[in-house]
DNA sequence: GGGGTATGTTGAAACGTTTTAACATTTCGC
DNA sequence: GCGAAATGTTAAAACGTTTCAACATACCCC
């Protein structure tokens, strides 16, 4: 049996072979794939049948070359080690998977250089658009995307230009919410643990904290600035506190708070009896800690999903797309650590 | 000023325009990009200069179309919500970024169907290779990749075929390590909390636990099977234990253990005084819990990185590549919860 | 300085789609 | 039934790279 089908060759089947077997032209097969409504029901059925039989899978590179863009988007994350961001990535991935897009994942690890290298790589891959959680100074990366006409949506960082979409949570409001809660519970001597302040998130949360104090007209804010948002950094910060215990501690994220909590308990400091503690992000693991943590809840999954929707809208309907700067309000979740 | 350069047009600059400005043929520019050693130093310098001036970025789709494969790999993860897997993804991303490859991220959410859809998408994107943490029955997905000649490496699941690379940690040894430790500390009535048992990880860890008992010739193992590896599932499991407290609990992952721990402490059960507790994975957040958790450490970042290296070796040197099944040994990390 | 070998460079042919204008065919109003 | 309009289908020209055989050129040894 030399060869089973007239046109069958060894290589992967292409659109031509489908066309031949279905008795139509390659153009029609392409239409079945991309604009099914333009081809007669009967023809379409036949072609689809052949596609299934032959196990044909379209060559995305060729499609992308001809069409000028492919079915992938880029996702640039600030910190792949932080559950807040990976949860966001999950939201993005879920939506893109539904719409049959691929997601090219990049981590900038908060370094401008790495961010720029990755933007170049994404441009090379002909991504249709890019989602970015920008490092403090990403102007250049975004400009490069713009000059290549690659749409982008900023994630967890508000856009200042009106020709840019962004999806964020109000961190100033979050900081205010946290400290207002502590004040209401009677705390006066409050410590903010967070950093580095060059990141927008930290700066905003601190600003919110100060705002709450101003509004209340009472209380003082001490600060311990750390250079990482990890449990380890929380440990170190807590050591500084032991000398002069405050009434309450506001940590710029839950990982820090978990570190602080552990040191306090080890030293026999009652939480919340002696010191109240509040975190930020409301990650799942915060609930599971020995003294469940009061925290500020953000919806990372939703953020990712909505940003992805916005990006796709801009990519697929550049004409009618209206740029939006969406800002969610965070939510206070009260648990034992402040009760 | 009608046009600044003779060949300058509006669209993105291509290899031809670089060639023209540098006074060479397009083929030579391509060689500068892909086989720099084949082109004379002087010519190369000139071309590189022009590339920089024009801000030329190669069109990856065209390259991929002609060459038959692109500079991306696929990464299929079992569970994007689990720090163990996201840490693995970080290892993969780091290496691929160094080698200037893009990583297309997919989550299978443990569903065979989603896995297969994603494999199809990856094939369409012409990925060079795929890293898979397979769901329990992924034979078909892997077969599809093979018939398309797309190399793959299995992650966190040992390959049974010798023409397949895999990188794993010995979960049987891990389970044995955990329970042997508990027995050594004097526990006799031990409970295993984990599930679902259809996942290889759970089945192996349980098998390891049983092995430890057999070897010791003493002790008994009760089991609470859950259907999710989350803190919430841990809570529920712990409720079952309260009626008849065991000497020790071995959880198939740290998230479960954190959930169990919280319920025990809430009920006034001393840990480790009354019940010892051991987890699995040694995730960062486990250390930060109120009673630091004894756990079985696995090196997810390293797993990801090594698997990525293996995959690239297979992709780039298919001739000389030797398939390997690498298995790491896990490590016992003793902390307060068993001391 | 002539035959042979390295060493660089080139031109043109792919790669597998999408797109477009042009061509058939059917449908419809009258 | 006739012409016009609507509906399907097609052939051929892109898209921007890589590859490969062929061609120059420089170098070397006797």
């Amino acid at each position: 049996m030399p060869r089973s089908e007239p046109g069958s060759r060894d290589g992967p089947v292409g659109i031509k072979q489908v066309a031949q077997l279905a008795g139509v032209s390659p153009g029609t097969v392409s239409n079945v794939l991309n604009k099914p409504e333009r081809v007669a029901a009967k023809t379409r059925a036949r072609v689809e049948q052949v596609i299934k039989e032959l196990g044909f899978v379209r060559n995305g590179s060729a499609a992308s070359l001809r069409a000028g863009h492919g079915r992938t988007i880029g996702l640039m994350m600030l910190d792949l080690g932080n559950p807040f961001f990976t949860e966001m990535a999950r939201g993005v991935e879920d939506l893109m998977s539904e719409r049959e897009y691929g997601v090219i994942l990049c981590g900038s690890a908060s370094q401008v250089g790495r961010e720029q290298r990755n933007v170049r790589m994404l441009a090379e891959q002909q991504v249709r658009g890019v989602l970015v959680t920008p490092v403090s100074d990403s102007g250049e990366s975004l400009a490069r995307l713009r000059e290549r006409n690659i749409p982008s949506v900023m994630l967890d960082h508000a856009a200042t230009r009106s020709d840019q979409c962004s999806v964020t949570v109000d961190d100033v409001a979050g900081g205010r919410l946290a400290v207002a809660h502590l004040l209401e519970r009677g705390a006066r001597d409050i410590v903010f643990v967070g950093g580095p302040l060059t990141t927008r998130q930290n700066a905003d949360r601190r600003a919110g904290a100060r705002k709450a104090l101003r509004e209340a007209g009472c209380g003082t804010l001490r600060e311990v600035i750390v250079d990482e948002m990890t449990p380890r950094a929380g440990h170190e910060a807590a050591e500084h506190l032991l000398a002069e215990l405050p009434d309450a501690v506001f940590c710029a994220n839950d990982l820090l708070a978990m570190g602080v909590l552990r040191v306090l308990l080890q030293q026999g400091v009652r939480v919340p009896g002696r010191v109240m503690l509040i975190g930020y992000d409301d990650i799942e693991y915060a609930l599971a800690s020995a003294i469940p943590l009061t925290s500020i809840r953000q919806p990372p999954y939703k953020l990712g999903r909505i940003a992805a929707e916005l990006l796709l809208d801009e990519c697929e309907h550049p004409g009618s797309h209206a740029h939006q700067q969406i800002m969610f309000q965070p939510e206070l979740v009260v648990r034992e650590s402040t009760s």
Side-chain angles (χ1 to χ4, degrees), chain A:
Chain A
M1 208 199 291
R3 39 177 62 192
S4 46
E5 298 295 341
S8 87
R9 301 210 282 124
D10 271 335
V13 310
I15 223 174
K16 284 185 195 165
Q17 300 157 57
V18 173
Q20 185 179 349
L21 201 54
V24 297
S25 80
T28 298
V29 178
S30 173
N31 280 335
V32 170
L33 257 33
N34 304 305
K35 321 193 165 140
E37 73 282 2
R38 288 215 187 146
V39 37
K42 210 174 158 186
T43 319
R44 185 173 43 194
R46 189 153 30 101
V47 172
E48 276 167 350
Q49 171 64 17
V50 174
I51 286 179
K52 199 173 292 175
E53 268 173 24
L54 259 44
F56 164 77
V57 172
R58 164 219 275 108
N59 181 328
S61 302
S64 159
L65 170 59
R66 174 62 233 227
H69 57 79
R71 282 190 84 78
T72 51
I73 63 111
L75 174 59
M76 178 100 68
M77 296 267 95
L78 201 54
D79 178 5
L80 290 174
N82 186 330
F84 176 75
F85 290 108
T86 56
E87 194 57 17
M88 211 151 70
R90 212 167 58 81
V92 172
E93 204 275 328
D94 270 3
L95 186 96
M96 289 300 177
S97 168
E98 283 168 24
R99 305 285 186 85
E100 307 242 41
Y101 271 75
V103 175
I104 302 187
L105 177 73
C106 311
S108 65
S110 298
Q111 296 159 34
V112 179
R114 221 173 138 172
E115 184 180 272
Q116 286 177 2
R117 264 197 11 208
N118 280 327
V119 163
R120 188 178 191 290
M121 185 269 281
L122 291 174
E124 185 166 324
Q125 303 295 342
Q126 309 292 115
V127 294
R128 189 91 189 252
V130 178
L131 290 168
V132 195
T133 58
V135 304
S136 34
D137 177 29
S138 298
E140 195 165 342
S141 299
L142 290 166
R144 270 213 237 290
L145 289 171
R146 245 191 308 273
E147 75 195 18
R148 289 193 174 280
N149 281 319
I150 301 176
S152 63
V153 172
M154 289 166 73
L155 249 172
D156 204 35
H157 200 296
T160 50
R161 329 174 28 129
S162 63
D163 63 347
Q164 240 309 333
C165 284
S166 66
V167 182
T168 56
V169 185
D170 189 341
D171 277 313
V172 176
R176 185 174 150 279
L177 218 49
V179 169
H181 171 66
L182 295 175
L183 290 168
E184 192 189 296
R185 290 284 206 245
R188 287 301 171 265
D189 177 16
I190 299 176
V191 172
F192 169 79
V193 176
L197 291 176
T198 48
T199 64
R200 184 201 57 74
Q201 288 85 345
N202 277 291
D204 282 3
R205 287 168 200 178
R206 188 179 68 151
R210 291 183 165 175
K211 192 170 167 194
L213 288 173
R214 270 201 314 279
E215 286 174 1
C218 66
T220 60
L221 194 71
R222 286 191 273 153
E223 293 177 355
V224 178
I225 305 306
V226 297
D227 53 356
E228 256 192 355
M229 310 265 273
T230 60
R232 192 173 310 275
H235 281 214
E236 288 164 22
E239 314 274 346
H240 291 272
L241 299 178
L242 293 174
E244 190 188 348
L245 285 176
D247 300 333
V249 178
F250 166 35
C251 292
N253 106 1
D254 286 340
L255 301 180
L256 283 170
M258 289 171 89
V260 168
L261 176 63
R262 190 170 153 232
V263 172
L264 292 180
L265 292 180
Q266 260 179 344
Q267 299 293 323
V269 177
R270 281 167 299 115
V271 176
R274 174 63 187 85
V275 174
M276 290 187 280
L277 182 61
I278 185 168
Y280 207 108
D281 283 350
D282 191 35
I283 62 177
E284 192 176 9
Y285 319 114
L287 170 89
S289 74
I291 310 260
L293 215 53
T294 294
S295 193
I296 303 295
R297 174 176 296 168
Q298 310 197 72
Y301 180 89
K302 201 165 156 195
L303 249 61
R305 213 180 148 92
I306 289 184
E309 258 169 0
L310 236 40
L311 182 64
L312 246 38
D313 183 64
E314 181 168 355
C315 290
E316 294 180 342
H317 314 105
S320 67
H321 174 76
H323 293 290
Q324 293 179 57
Q325 292 82 41
I326 298 181
M327 182 176 271
F328 285 95
Q329 287 304 310
E331 208 178 299
L332 174 70
V333 180
V334 181
R335 298 212 185 82
E336 268 181 60
S337 71
T338 59
S339 305

